[in-house]
Amino acid sequence: MSDNIIEDIEEYLELKNYVDYEFKKEYGFTFAFRRQIVMIKGRVTSAEIAPVGIIYEENGQYYLAPLDKTINIREVVREYVKNCI
């Protein structure tokens, strides 16, 4: 065992945490959703899809109107431009 017991537990349980963003165009708006999946030993133990905001374009730039102050706006917009533009 190493000095960091949390890393040992995560390794033993094969704990994986996946976070990504999904985008859906409806009624002229682009809605951004955060998807988080936690897996232990290859099995889904929890999953969450939560709305994070609305993406809009203004003067050739993309912006996110967030629904929560804790969202990393740059990360969401970067993911949108990378996958949807």
Side-chain angles (χ1 to χ4, degrees):
M1 292 191 99
S2 69
D3 292 334
N4 190 340
I5 193 154
I6 298 207
E7 287 180 4
D8 290 340
I9 291 170
E10 288 176 350
E11 185 178 318
Y12 175 75
L13 294 176
E14 299 173 23
L15 183 66
K16 303 280 189 236
N17 186 28
Y18 301 99
V19 176
D20 66 349
Y21 294 94
E22 196 171 299
F23 306 96
K24 180 83 172 165
K25 290 186 179 190
E26 290 289 333
Y27 306 109
F29 295 102
T30 301
F31 296 92
F33 297 89
R34 181 176 186 264
R35 183 170 47 187
Q36 181 174 8
I37 299 171
V38 178
M39 299 180 78
I40 295 177
K41 294 197 179 235
R43 295 178 184 221
V44 174
T45 59
S46 73
E48 175 183 305
I49 298 176
V52 295
I54 299 170
I55 293 183
Y56 63 95
E57 180 185 5
E58 188 173 285
N59 298 325
Q61 297 285 328
Y62 290 93
Y63 298 93
L64 174 72
L67 300 175
D68 187 355
K69 292 180 182 178
T70 62
I71 296 301
N72 183 339
I73 294 172
R74 290 181 189 264
E75 180 181 347
V76 176
V77 172
R78 185 179 315 121
E79 193 75 20
Y80 174 74
V81 171
K82 180 176 120 185
N83 294 324
C84 298
I85 302 298

